[in-house]
């Protein structure tokens, strides 16, 4: 706040504190400057810089309006503070949409893990190429992860997740078309685009966490991940139902994937708190985003963060081991179960086995993993998960 001396037009005189002295001026019947009034505006606020942090609720300088509300009474999604979520149902409506989006994306992922390796193996006659298709999907995830995260910090998670969902739709349709074109190049291109969509969809859990106050974030994370519990039932069942729906076996599975990613886009666009990046309080680490959206560094490895934070290194190591173990099971199990020389089971039986696997993956989130993290800490919960594997 600043004290500012001003000349006040007669027709637009604000509330002011009168002070001694004189300011020469002229009288104008059309609203010119007053000649004898001498005023000092009390505590005139300077307009905030676009890059200035917004005042926190409860602080001495906080506005009487809630963060995220326009002065005309409407909601302004571009200024919603991450971690506050007061503009709409305290953020829990956004958590619900994020969970539904997670369910849609994980349903597409369930179709992928149930059918991709087997479909590729039956098209090419090679089990090695069957597992290669899943490797391409995983490699696309790894390549897209850092640029997508930095783009989300710069533009908001909603835009990035919705665009990735569109890539998932395109990739599914391209892979579907290759069943009739039989080029295999388009097939693997489509699989790579599906991998990008599955990678970026993982940010939905963080969109859910950022929609609520910091003390509710573990539970919001659990609800966000719990959408996968619904997908654990939907994805493999859809794969079983659509496998022979068209003349080309497994072709309809990719049409179903396109539908799942379309639902992902629809639910993501309803997450209002995940819009364009808002101003945040730099003194509050809970509200600060994960990084800057500088395009020049969007492909850079976050070495500074890893060097500075022990928790970042632990998280990276834990996720690397967990996802490696998960894909080791998911890529080999369908081929091992359906192969004539191995299990000799039907595709439906293999899909049911992966369905049970996915239920065990996501159900703990619905049963209160977030509460356990809040009570015992993330390290203890992660160690129990590793011991269970």
């Amino acid at each position: 706040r600043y004290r500012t001396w001003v000349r006040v037009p007669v027709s637009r005189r604000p509330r002011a504190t009168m002070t001694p002295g004189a300011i020469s001026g002229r009288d104008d019947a059309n609203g010119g400057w007053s000649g004898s009034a001498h005023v000092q505006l009390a505590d005139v606020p300077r307009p905030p810089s676009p890059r200035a942090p917004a005042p926190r609720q409860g602080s001495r300088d906080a506005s009487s309006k809630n963060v995220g509300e326009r002065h005309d009474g409407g909601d302004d999604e571009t200024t919603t503070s991450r971690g506050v979520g007061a503009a709409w149902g305290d953020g829990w409506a956004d958590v619900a949409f994020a969970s539904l989006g997670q369910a849609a994306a994980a349903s597409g992922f369930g179709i992928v893990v149930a059918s991709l390796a087997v479909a590729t193996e039956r098209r090419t006659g090679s089990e090695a190429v069957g597992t290669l298709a899943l490797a391409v999907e995983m490699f696309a995830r790894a390549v897209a992860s850092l640029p997508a995260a930095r783009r989300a910090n710069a533009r908001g998670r909603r835009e990035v997740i919705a665009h990735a969902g569109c890539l998932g739709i395109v990739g599914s349709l391209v892979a579907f078309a290759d069943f009739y074109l039989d080029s295999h190049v388009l097939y693997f291109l489509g699989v790579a685009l599906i991998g990008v969509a599955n990678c970026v969809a993982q940010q939905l859990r963080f969109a859910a966490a950022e929609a609520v106050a910091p003390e509710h974030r573990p539970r919001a994370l659990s609800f966000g991940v719990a959408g996968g519990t619904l997908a654990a039932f939907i994805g493999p069942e859809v794969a079983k139902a659509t496998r022979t729906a068209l003349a080309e076996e497994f072709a309809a599975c990719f049409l179903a994937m396109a539908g799942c990613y379309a639902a992902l886009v629809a639910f993501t666009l309803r997450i209002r708190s995940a819009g364009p990046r808002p101003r945040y309080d730099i003194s509050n680490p809970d509200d600060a985003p994960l990084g800057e959206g500088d395009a020049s560094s969007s492909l850079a490895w976050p070495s500074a963060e890893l060097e500075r934070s022990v928790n970042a290194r632990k998280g990276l190591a834990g996720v690397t081991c967990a996802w490696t173990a998960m894909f080791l099971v998911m890529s080999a199990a369908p081929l091992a179960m359906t192969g004539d020389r191995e299990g000799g089971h039907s595709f439906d039986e293999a899909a049911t086995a992966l369905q049970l696997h996915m239920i065990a993956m996501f159900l703990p989130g619905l049963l209160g993993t977030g509460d356990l993290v809040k009570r015992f800490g993330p390290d203890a919960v992660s160690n129990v998960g590793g011991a269970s594997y």
Side-chain angles (χ1 to χ4, degrees):
R1 295 181 179 273
Y2 301 87
R3 294 185 180 274
T4 306
W5 289 89
V6 297
R7 286 172 150 182
V8 182
V10 172
S11 62
R12 293 184 289 118
R13 204 173 268 168
R15 280 179 276 180
T17 302
M18 303 300 296
T19 60
I23 296 179
S24 61
R26 64 184 180 85
D27 291 327
D28 191 339
N30 295 323
W33 295 103
S34 171
S36 59
H38 187 127
V39 299
Q40 177 188 7
L41 293 182
D43 294 334
V44 178
R46 176 175 292 182
S49 169
R51 298 187 63 85
R56 297 181 60 191
Q57 283 189 332
S59 66
R60 183 170 56 89
D61 295 331
S63 169
S64 59
K65 294 282 186 181
N66 287 333
V67 176
E69 290 187 3
R70 294 196 308 258
H71 292 295
D72 59 3
D75 292 338
D76 184 0
E77 63 191 19
T78 63
T79 59
T80 299
S81 176
R82 293 184 179 185
V84 175
W88 189 32
D90 291 332
W92 289 105
D94 286 354
V95 173
F97 283 121
S99 182
L100 290 172
Q102 182 73 37
S107 295
F109 174 66
I111 300 173
V112 168
V113 297
S115 61
L116 183 60
V118 178
T120 307
E121 186 268 335
R122 293 187 181 178
R123 290 192 65 197
T124 61
S126 170
E127 292 182 348
V129 178
T131 56
L132 176 63
L134 275 174
V136 169
E137 196 266 356
M138 189 65 175
F139 180 75
R141 288 173 180 250
V143 171
S145 58
L146 285 176
R150 294 188 182 276
R151 183 71 173 174
N153 286 332
R155 301 297 299 271
R157 299 190 191 277
R158 182 178 61 198
E159 175 183 317
V160 176
I161 298 172
H163 288 171
C166 293
L167 290 179
I169 296 172
V170 173
S172 301
L173 295 178
V174 167
F176 165 77
D178 194 68
F179 276 83
Y180 300 92
L181 299 176
D182 203 28
S183 69
H184 298 308
V185 175
L186 290 177
Y187 181 75
F188 281 96
L189 174 62
V191 169
L193 294 178
I194 291 171
V196 173
N198 288 331
C199 166
V200 180
Q202 301 300 315
Q203 294 196 24
L204 282 167
R205 65 190 67 181
F206 303 117
E210 291 170 348
V212 297
E215 61 269 19
H216 298 308
R217 285 179 179 176
R219 182 167 296 176
L221 276 169
S222 294
F223 282 132
V225 176
T229 307
L230 180 63
F233 292 95
I234 295 175
E237 289 298 327
V238 170
K240 289 188 283 187
T242 57
R243 179 175 64 92
T244 57
L246 297 177
E248 291 289 335
E249 187 181 23
F250 293 105
C253 292
F254 288 87
L255 286 180
M257 287 183 208
C260 291
Y261 296 120
L264 165 65
V265 174
F267 288 127
T268 298
L269 292 177
R270 298 298 304 273
I271 306 175
R272 300 179 65 178
S273 62
R277 178 179 174 179
R279 296 185 296 270
Y280 64 93
D281 184 355
I282 59 175
S283 66
N284 184 6
D286 289 329
D287 286 345
L290 300 179
E292 293 296 331
D294 185 1
S296 64
S297 61
S298 62
L299 295 175
W301 180 255
S303 56
E305 290 85 345
L306 293 174
E307 185 175 335
R308 182 170 58 245
S309 173
V310 175
N311 287 334
R313 295 194 293 271
K314 287 194 299 185
L316 177 63
V319 169
T320 301
C321 294
W323 278 76
T324 301
M326 181 183 72
F327 265 86
L328 178 64
V329 172
M330 286 186 159
S331 62
L335 295 175
M337 292 186 66
T338 58
D340 293 333
R341 294 173 299 173
E342 290 88 3
H345 296 280
S346 67
F347 173 79
D348 288 358
E349 291 172 334
T352 300
L354 286 174
Q355 184 180 56
L356 296 174
H357 173 80
M358 291 185 65
I359 291 173
M361 281 174 55
F362 292 110
L363 187 59
L366 186 62
L367 298 180
T369 302
D371 293 329
L372 293 177
V373 170
K374 190 173 181 179
R375 182 180 179 87
F376 299 105
D379 289 351
V381 176
S382 299
N383 291 337
V384 170
S388 300
Y389 181 83

